Amino acid sequence: MREKVWRLIAVVLCVVMLSGQTVFADSVDSSDVYVSLGADLSTKEKATVLKLLGIDNINDYKVEYITNKQEHEYLDEYLDKSFIGSRALSSVIVKSGGEGIHVETYNITFCTAGMYRNALATAGMENAEVTVAGPFNISGTAALVGAMKAYESMTGKKVSEENLDAANQELVVTGEVADQIGEDEAEQLIALVKEKVAAGNLDSVEDIGTAIDEATNELDIKLSDSDRQKIEELMKKISDLDLDVGQLKEQAKDIYNKLEDMGASLSEQGFFTKLKNWILSLFSFLK
């Protein structure tokens, strides 16, 4: 019986390879861990952050620093300058591995782990463990820039400015909407509307508006006109990114699985995404 199963797996893998598809994501040495630190951390603050990130000796890691100037370059369009502040403090550690994006936060008040995960998926991050920390309670809005810079160093792949810009806007909009409807509700709503826009290749204001209406009805959420406008503007930008819906769901699977359990209307996974998930589950069963 076991021999037949392995033969079946071999056949399936051959079909996938002959079809020009990749079953597993590009491999990255899982021992590589990259760190982005706020450039304005004092010695004491840096020690606090390193402890929260689980780092004993910073010299053992590949490190880069995110400046306050960079924070303002990416966020001034979406946040008041006073909210961003004059010191770069948000710090991040990124490690390759696992399935999907997993996030932990310490001393971050504005952005939740789910908000980071969704935005990082939009930016293009894949299969990584991310920890975000501040030396004391801070908004954490600038940490996404540091996370993606660390990810670029890890993979050697440049993240497009368009994706990073949309991801930053998504992080801010989700946080602002959360102030009105709640954190979980905001994460779910943005994720669901984004999936509808990407899956349907929606790019007109009318179609995006319809997707927002459908999502709010499905989740029984009422939006203010202001928040609806923010989401509409965000989705218009996301519609230009040509996101892979299957990859999006794979990287933020926790929230999409939850949406599915709640009865939300999601697009069907593509054949090869289903095939990959079947193979992975089969391997897990055999193990």
Side-chain angles (χ1 to χ4, degrees), residues 106-175:
Y106 298 95
N107 291 335
I108 302 299
T109 59
F110 183 77
C111 308
T112 65
M115 292 177 195
Y116 281 121
R117 182 183 57 229
N118 289 340
L120 289 169
T122 297
M125 181 177 282
E126 298 177 15
N127 304 325
E129 297 176 7
V130 180
T131 303
V132 183
F136 43 80
N137 284 347
I138 57 176
S139 68
T141 51
L144 186 137
V145 178
M148 292 312 301
K149 294 300 180 184
Y151 185 69
E152 284 182 339
S153 297
M154 177 182 292
T155 61
K157 298 176 181 178
K158 177 70 176 175
V159 176
S160 76
E161 289 296 319
E162 292 78 13
N163 282 65
L164 186 53
D165 177 53
N168 276 299
Q169 185 175 353
E170 179 178 339
L171 193 68
V172 172
V173 168
T174 309

Side-chain angles (χ1 to χ4, degrees), residues 55-70:
I55 296 174
D56 295 323
N57 185 356
I58 192 62
N59 296 321
D60 293 337
Y61 297 83
K62 302 176 180 67
V63 183
E64 51 186 297
Y65 292 86
I66 301 301
T67 67
N68 187 245
K69 180 181 178 181
Q70 287 175 302

Side-chain angles (χ1 to χ4, degrees), residues 16-271:
V16 173
M17 288 186 287
L18 289 173
S19 301
Q21 300 290 330
T22 303
V23 176
F24 301 103
D26 294 338
S27 61
V28 178
D29 186 353
S30 61
S31 65
D32 283 347
V33 180
Y34 289 74
V35 179
S36 288
L37 296 177
D40 298 313
L41 291 166
S42 67
T43 301
K44 183 178 180 180
E45 291 167 345
K46 185 176 179 180
T48 299
V49 165
L50 293 180
K51 184 176 181 180
L52 291 172
L53 296 179
I55 296 174
D56 295 323
N57 185 356
I58 192 62
N59 296 321
D60 293 337
Y61 297 83
K62 302 176 180 67
V63 183
E64 51 186 297
Y65 292 86
I66 301 301
T67 67
N68 187 245
K69 180 181 178 181
Q70 287 175 302
E71 293 177 341
H72 282 280
E73 285 175 353
Y74 284 103
L75 293 166
D76 274 357
E77 185 178 350
Y78 312 116
L79 284 169
D80 188 276
K81 291 183 179 181
S82 62
F83 191 85
I84 303 169
S86 58
R87 300 176 63 209
L89 302 171
S90 298
S91 300
V92 187
I93 185 169
V94 180
K95 179 180 180 180
S96 169
E99 294 179 25
I101 301 168
H102 300 274
V103 182
E104 291 185 358
T105 65
Y106 298 95
N107 291 335
I108 302 299
T109 59
F110 183 77
C111 308
T112 65
M115 292 177 195
Y116 281 121
R117 182 183 57 229
N118 289 340
L120 289 169
T122 297
M125 181 177 282
E126 298 177 15
N127 304 325
E129 297 176 7
V130 180
T131 303
V132 183
F136 43 80
N137 284 347
I138 57 176
S139 68
T141 51
L144 186 137
V145 178
M148 292 312 301
K149 294 300 180 184
Y151 185 69
E152 284 182 339
S153 297
M154 177 182 292
T155 61
K157 298 176 181 178
K158 177 70 176 175
V159 176
S160 76
E161 289 296 319
E162 292 78 13
N163 282 65
L164 186 53
D165 177 53
N168 276 299
Q169 185 175 353
E170 179 178 339
L171 193 68
V172 172
V173 168
T174 309
E176 291 176 340
V177 173
D179 286 340
Q180 304 301 318
I181 67 174
E183 292 177 350
D184 289 344
E185 290 80 1
E187 291 173 19
Q188 293 162 6
L189 177 62
I190 297 299
L192 182 56
V193 177
K194 181 169 59 174
E195 194 271 347
K196 290 178 181 292
V197 168
N201 294 315
L202 309 182
D203 56 9
S204 71
V205 173
E206 292 76 14
D207 287 343
I208 290 173
T210 299
I212 295 173
D213 292 338
E214 290 176 352
T216 53
N217 287 334
E218 289 179 46
L219 299 178
D220 194 22
I221 290 173
K222 294 186 183 300
L223 289 175
S224 67
D225 291 341
S226 175
D227 284 344
R228 192 181 190 283
Q229 180 65 29
K230 290 175 185 177
I231 296 173
E232 190 175 281
E233 292 172 356
L234 167 64
M235 293 304 157
K236 187 67 177 73
K237 182 171 291 185
I238 284 178
S239 70
D240 294 330
L241 299 182
D242 191 28
L243 294 177
D244 182 323
V245 179
Q247 189 65 23
L248 193 67
K249 290 181 180 178
E250 187 69 18
Q251 297 309 310
K253 65 172 61 177
D254 289 348
I255 193 164
Y256 285 109
N257 287 343
K258 185 173 183 179
L259 284 169
E260 195 169 48
D261 291 340
M262 293 168 64
S265 176
L266 298 173
S267 64
E268 286 292 319
Q269 291 180 320
F271 169 75

